[in-house]
Structures are given as C-alpha cells and as structure tokens.
Amino acid sequence: MNMAIHKLDLGEFDEIDYYLIAIHTSLEDYRLAFFINQKLPINLSKSKNEIQINIKEGETKFSRYYYHNIEKAISWNLIQNKGEVVQQKKDNGQNLFSNLTLEVATKVYLLPEFKKVDYFLKIENLDETMNGTKIQTALNAIDNISAIYTVETNKIKSKNNLIF
C-alpha cells in the first residue's frame, strides 16, 4: 500500500497577504481606535483575544482592536506594540527598606525591530477600492499621530508575532 506523503513547504507560511502600517502616537489605544473609526469606513472594537507574548521575565498582553468587513472579507487589526512585564523582586539589601518588594518592569515589543512604533494597523485582503495610500491619508488627518508609514513586511524578523 503506497501512502502519499504531503510535505508542507514552509514557504507557504511566508506568503504575506496583509498590509502593515506603523503608527507613532501618544494616544491611548481606545482613543486611537475611536479616531480611526471616524476617519475610515470601519468600526474597530476591542477584541477579547489579546495577543500574548512570553519572555523569560513573564508574559504580557498587547491590546487588539478588530473589525471584519464581511462583504469585502477585509480584516482590520489595531495592535499595541509596546507592553511590559512587571516582576516583583524582594530587595535583600541591608538597609532601612530591606523588606520592600521592588517592582521591576521589562519593556516588551510585539515587533522588537520597531521599538519606536506605538501601534500597528494590520489589514488583510485589502482591495483596490481602499488602498494603502488612501488609508494613510485618512490617518494623517488624526491630530495626535506624529508619524505613520507602511512597513515592508518582508523586512520583519519577528513576523510570526503577527500571526493571530
């Protein structure tokens, strides 16, 4: 009996079918989502499925706002890029405060090669009617965004963090 073996070509997973926009802003996530909803014909809302990243110091969650356009099958994700893991550490020093517990925060990034970016807008199945340039123009009209640009997805080393 001859069993056919289907080899999975890892290249299949490298197919990038999304558009990624980096956003620099001091806005909180829910405010940014609100302004994006005003400027674009979408309705981002907070997703319960936050993105979890584990590092040796612990785990952190990145907030995620999601909208799916059923008619056009376009998915929008607004994701936080900066988080932190807070560890409780006992201070064993011999000073006055030796029994204090210190909180040590370690910064964690969804995409560590883009440490300056506050949020990413990931758009899957974007069609011609709503192209990247139009989206960027719309987002540029939001006052509190200091910079916005497209990320070349083939330059992302940690792109597995974007699979969700």
Side-chain angles (χ1 to χ4, degrees), residues 64-145:
R64 171 185 176 195
Y65 285 74
Y66 178 73
Y67 171 69
H68 182 68
N69 178 328
I70 297 167
E71 186 193 330
K72 294 184 174 172
I74 304 175
S75 291
W76 301 72
N77 277 282
L78 175 68
I79 328 129
Q80 202 179 13
N81 186 44
K82 298 177 178 180
E84 56 182 29
V85 170
V86 178
Q87 286 173 289
Q88 309 287 333
K89 288 197 173 163
K90 272 267 186 268
D91 182 2
N92 299 323
Q94 293 304 311
N95 58 24
L96 195 56
F97 308 106
S98 56
N99 56 2
L100 274 190
T101 302
L102 299 177
E103 284 202 342
V104 181
T106 308
K107 285 221 173 300
V108 190
Y109 302 90
L110 184 68
L111 296 185
E113 57 268 46
F114 297 100
K115 287 188 166 60
K116 294 232 179 342
V117 176
D118 298 295
Y119 299 94
F120 289 104
L121 186 60
K122 176 189 172 190
I123 309 153
E124 291 168 76
N125 298 328
L126 198 57
D127 64 358
E128 299 75 61
T129 58
M130 192 69 197
N131 63 29
T133 316
K134 280 185 191 168
I135 293 168
Q136 279 180 260
T137 307
L139 296 180
N140 263 324
I142 299 173
D143 285 345
N144 301 71
I145 289 182

Side-chain angles (χ1 to χ4, degrees), residues 9-76:
D9 176 13
L10 286 173
E12 289 174 26
F13 295 111
D14 262 3
E15 213 33 65
I16 304 275
D17 60 347
Y18 56 82
Y19 190 84
L20 196 66
I21 296 176
I23 301 173
H24 293 235
T25 179
S26 56
L27 286 170
E28 290 178 60
D29 54 4
Y30 66 93
R31 305 232 336 136
L32 179 59
F34 173 78
F35 289 130
I36 292 174
N37 286 343
Q38 282 189 319
K39 301 289 179 199
L40 291 169
I42 64 173
N43 189 11
L44 291 163
S45 60
K46 195 156 173 57
S47 167
K48 286 182 199 64
N49 303 326
E50 295 190 312
I51 296 153
Q52 188 175 313
I53 300 269
N54 294 308
I55 57 168
K56 61 180 192 300
E57 287 82 6
E59 68 168 53
T60 188
K61 288 186 166 65
F62 296 93
S63 73
R64 171 185 176 195
Y65 285 74
Y66 178 73
Y67 171 69
H68 182 68
N69 178 328
I70 297 167
E71 186 193 330
K72 294 184 174 172
I74 304 175
S75 291
W76 301 72

